[in-house]
Amino acid sequence: GAGVSQSPSNKVTEKGKDVELRCDPISGHTALYWYRQSLGQGLEFLIYFQGNSAPDKSGLPSDRFSAERTGGSVSTLTIQRTQQEDSAVYLCASNKGQGNYGYTFGSGTRLTVV
Amino acid sequence: GENVEQHPSTLSVQEGDSAVIKCTYSDSASNYFPWYKQELGKRPQLIIDIRSNVGEKKDQRIAVTLNKTAKHFSLHITETQPEDSAVYFCAVAGGTSYGKLTFGQGTILTVHP
């Protein structure tokens, strides 16, 4: 596609429920990144996929967070048993990887846990 | 892992003045240094970037300077305009972090007309 597409754009969920956030990267981009931005804060790295390599999960804050990337394209970030502190904007970015740093960000998913 | 510190956290200037934001980083092997502008409710947008083999890069009113020895880089905005008001983030990639960006904490820039 022309840009990085994320869905849904907004999600309100009850505490304790599971949520899935989707990211569709730019066609041909082998690297995909998830970041989290809490209100008024910077961007916190969560997870990074590069081609067929094992993902770098070093930024996932707890075992309630997981992500997968199917077929080297679309990625899903899953948050289980959501907590109020999970409320944030979840941003996805992609690039061509292998040192090609032209990151393109999606518009994000604003998650609100009530 | 990489650690990025950004200063100041807020910056207020008069229209036409210059603004400077500075970032320091910890991994001497890092080799890519972008700056992002984020307007309220919008995604971060790349405004300028520099690689480690270059000391300075300019694009109209915006410039970035890099001091690899001291491990810091700065964003310079000249002739500021009200539409420059936004949150600016520095970031670092390469080195032991390889492809992932590590961001600074952000600077809220306000340009008063």
Side-chain angles (χ1 to χ4, degrees):
Chain A
V4 177
S5 178
Q6 291 189 245
S7 61
S9 55
N10 279 285
K11 176 72 176 179
V12 179
T13 190
E14 292 181 352
K15 179 181 172 182
K17 294 281 179 70
D18 298 352
V19 294
E20 286 189 350
L21 312 179
R22 176 187 168 105
C23 174
D24 197 347
I26 291 173
S27 178
H29 279 193
T30 60
L32 186 150
Y33 311 79
W34 284 99
Y35 288 85
R36 176 169 73 174
Q37 187 172 31
S38 301
L39 188 64
Q41 301 296 310
L43 283 82
E44 175 190 7
F45 167 75
L46 296 178
I47 188 168
Y48 157 38
F49 297 90
Q50 170 58 63
N52 295 320
S53 302
D56 176 349
K57 304 179 182 180
S58 60
L60 293 179
S62 77
D63 59 7
R64 296 187 295 105
F65 288 72
S66 63
E68 63 177 21
R69 188 178 185 193
T70 54
S73 182
V74 173
S75 177
T76 302
L77 177 68
T78 301
I79 309 173
Q80 296 179 307
R81 305 181 302 281
T82 51
Q83 304 294 314
Q84 287 186 327
E85 60 263 29
D86 299 334
S87 297
V89 175
Y90 290 81
L91 289 160
C92 176
S94 71
N95 66 13
K96 293 181 181 178
Q98 302 298 328
N100 292 303
Y101 292 122
Y103 298 81
T104 301
F105 279 89
S107 297
T109 293
R110 180 175 298 277
L111 175 66
T112 305
V113 181
V114 298
Chain B
E2 179 70 88
N3 184 47
V4 180
E5 297 286 335
Q6 182 173 344
H7 298 282
S9 56
T10 61
L11 181 57
S12 183
V13 300
Q14 289 297 127
E15 182 176 2
D17 288 350
S18 295
V20 181
I21 304 169
K22 181 176 176 178
C23 285
T24 60
Y25 61 98
S26 59
D27 185 354
S28 57
S30 294
N31 60 11
Y32 178 67
F33 309 91
W35 285 91
Y36 287 84
K37 176 183 181 181
Q38 188 176 32
E39 296 175 334
L40 193 62
K42 302 280 185 66
R43 75 188 80 187
Q45 297 275 11
L46 177 69
I47 56 171
I48 196 167
D49 58 8
I50 194 168
R51 292 182 185 264
S52 59
N53 57 345
V54 176
E56 182 176 0
K57 184 176 178 181
K58 292 179 87 169
D59 182 3
Q60 299 182 358
R61 296 187 296 109
I62 294 172
V64 55
T65 58
L66 171 66
N67 184 327
K68 284 216 72 181
T69 303
K71 291 188 285 188
H72 66 70
F73 59 110
S74 298
L75 176 70
H76 304 255
I77 306 174
T78 59
E79 300 170 32
T80 53
Q81 301 167 2
E83 50 265 39
D84 294 330
S85 297
V87 182
Y88 291 81
F89 292 97
C90 65
V92 176
T96 56
S97 298
Y98 193 55
K100 73 186 187 197
L101 286 171
T102 302
F103 284 84
Q105 299 84 352
T107 297
I108 301 172
L109 174 64
T110 304
V111 181
H112 299 282

